[in-house]
Structure formats: structure tokens, C-alpha cells
Amino acid sequence: MRLASIHRYPVKSTTGHALARAEVEPWGLAGDRRHLVVDEHGAMLTARKHPRLLACVPELDGDTLVLTGPHAPPLRVVPTAGRSTVEVWRNQVELTDCGDEAAAWLSALLDRPARLAWLDDPTLRPVNPDYARDGDRVSLADAFPLLLTTTASLHRLDDWIAETAAERGEEPPAPLDMRRFRPNVVVDGVETPFDEDSWKRVRIGEVDFRVAKGCDRCVLPTIDPVTLAPGKEPTRTLARHRRWDGKVWFGVNLIPDARGVIAQGDPVTVL
């Protein structure tokens, strides 16, 4: 097995970008999900309810965040001194405001009041203790430092979706873009689809990870990452084949055991 691709999302719930190599930190990939968008009351905004966020493409130029979108010139973001507390999935996290220029840029993109906030201290959020060790931390990702998916599982899901369409007399859809699932690492060469469900520990290159749990999926994979149009798949088909505990599942969550660097093409070993 090998590491097929690496993906980073500098701003939570916006479009990510691929990397040839990445530094693994205890709370996730370096620079991954250290910013998020909030409304005028300081409440977190995500693409679940605001798909237009996916039109924002953030990248890091050194330590500087650059926002690119279809509505305005690119913006270089500079955090200011303002501080506020934001609830991130039941965690109260103190964040730094990124200023009025970033707020105006995002408000224009979303056509509603919005501001950008930055997690300057990535050690603030603990991982759910039901799946973690003391001291495990996560940035602003939903719950865990990294998400792993496999191409074998995506291909099986594509086959299931085609079968579902045929049963319903629908035109067969195009294969799904893995970007819908927002992974950090994608593994190729897995012989059995969804074999990752059974993994407990995995080594990528020279970095070891614990597999915390499977990833239950929200509505976000049903939004086309290019057109931003909502749809029924893959949730409709996952509900037939990958539904338990009242949720649908795709991918597994990882917690790093150490710092290190991973690179596209690295060997992947189940420990």
C-alpha cells in the first residue's frame, strides 16, 4: 500500500488543496484547519449549511494565509489582537480575530455577515476521551487530527451507486470525487474495500498513527465540490450498505503518535 495523496484545509469547511509532503503535528497536519468562519454573533459557520464556503480556496504562503475566491481579488490575511470564544462541537475555544478586511471578503462571498478566526494555540482542544489518550489534541477539525480514506473503498462505493441508479432507472452518475469526503490522507493499494474499518494502528512513511474510530458522515459529501449543487449521493447508497448506529460511515479517523513528515508515495503499513 502507498500514500496516494495528502490534503490540507487551512480554513475549516472550505476547499482544500493537495500537498506533495506534509509535517504531521500532534493535532493534525501542519496548517490544517487552524482557521474557521463565524457569523456576526461568533457562531461557527460550515459548508453543511453554507455551501458557498467551498468556493473559498485558502492556501498558506509560509505562515501567511491567502484566500482566493470567484468574487474578489485574493486576500492576504493578518490576524489582529481581538479575541473571542467560539463553540466548536461542544468545545469552547478562544480564537483570534483576523480583521475587518477578511470579514468583508468572506461576507461578500457568503452574502451574509461573516468573520475569520484563527486558532493560535492548537493545544486547546482535547480529543474525545472515549477514543483518545490524555494529552491528545485536535485543531479545528470536527473531532480528530486526521481522516484517512482509501481508493478501494471509493471504487466499491461507486459500483454500489451505479447499481442503485440502475435499479431506479436513472442515468449512471460519474464516479465520485474523493474531495467530497475531505480526507487528509488517501491510501492506494488496499486489496479489500473497507478493510480500513478493522485497522487499529497504521504507519505512513515513518510516522505511526492510532485509528481512533470510523468516520460517520454528515451532509457535506452530498455537495458537489465543483458546482456546489446538493444531491442524494453518496448518502443514499451509503445508507443501504454502510449504515449502523443511525449513521453512515466512510473513512477512519487517525491520531498521530509522534511528529514527523509524510510524503506522497510513502509506504503504508498496518501495524
Side-chain angles (χ1 to χ4, degrees), residues 8 10 17 58-67 75-77:
R8 180 170 65 185
H17 59 271
E59 294 197 53
L60 291 170
D61 180 8
D63 293 330
T64 301
L65 179 70
V66 181
L67 303 180
L75 178 72
R76 297 179 68 86
V77 175

Side-chain angles (χ1 to χ4, degrees), residues 31 35 42 70 77 84 105 111 126 136 172 214 239 243 252-253 270:
H35 293 77
V77 175
S84 62
W105 195 95
D111 195 27
D136 284 340
R243 182 181 178 86
V252 293
N253 295 296
V270 177

Side-chain angles (χ1 to χ4, degrees), residues 56-117:
C56 173
V57 182
E59 294 197 53
L60 291 170
D61 180 8
D63 293 330
T64 301
L65 179 70
V66 181
L67 303 180
T68 302
H71 67 300
L75 178 72
R76 297 179 68 86
V77 175
V78 180
T80 64
R83 306 281 286 181
S84 62
T85 300
V86 177
E87 182 173 342
V88 183
W89 305 129
R90 296 188 297 274
N91 297 130
Q92 300 294 322
V93 186
E94 187 172 301
L95 304 178
T96 298
D97 185 76
C98 290
D100 291 341
E101 278 192 286
W105 195 95
L106 285 164
S107 297
L109 175 71
L110 299 178
D111 195 27
R112 60 156 298 152
R115 299 192 72 84
L116 187 65

Side-chain angles (χ1 to χ4, degrees), residues 4-18:
S5 59
I6 306 168
H7 305 267
R8 180 170 65 185
Y9 310 85
V11 179
K12 182 180 179 64
S13 220
T14 61
T15 291
H17 59 271

Side-chain angles (χ1 to χ4, degrees), residues 114-192:
R115 299 192 72 84
L116 187 65
W118 175 53
L119 177 66
D120 59 342
D121 182 355
T123 68
L124 294 177
R125 286 186 71 209
V127 177
N128 185 333
D130 291 341
Y131 304 98
R133 298 174 181 169
D134 289 344
D136 284 340
R137 294 293 184 267
V138 59
S139 59
L140 297 174
D142 278 355
F144 296 93
L146 284 88
L147 174 67
L148 177 151
T149 61
T150 71
T151 55
S153 297
L154 181 62
H155 293 158
R156 175 59 59 84
L157 178 56
D158 282 330
D159 290 342
W160 285 339
I161 290 173
E163 292 169 4
T164 299
E167 291 171 4
R168 294 173 175 267
E170 300 171 355
E171 288 292 323
L176 289 176
D177 189 325
M178 186 68 91
R179 288 183 297 171
R180 286 177 180 256
F181 297 98
R182 304 178 66 77
N184 292 111
V185 289
V186 180
V187 177
D188 198 11
V190 179
E191 293 186 2
T192 305

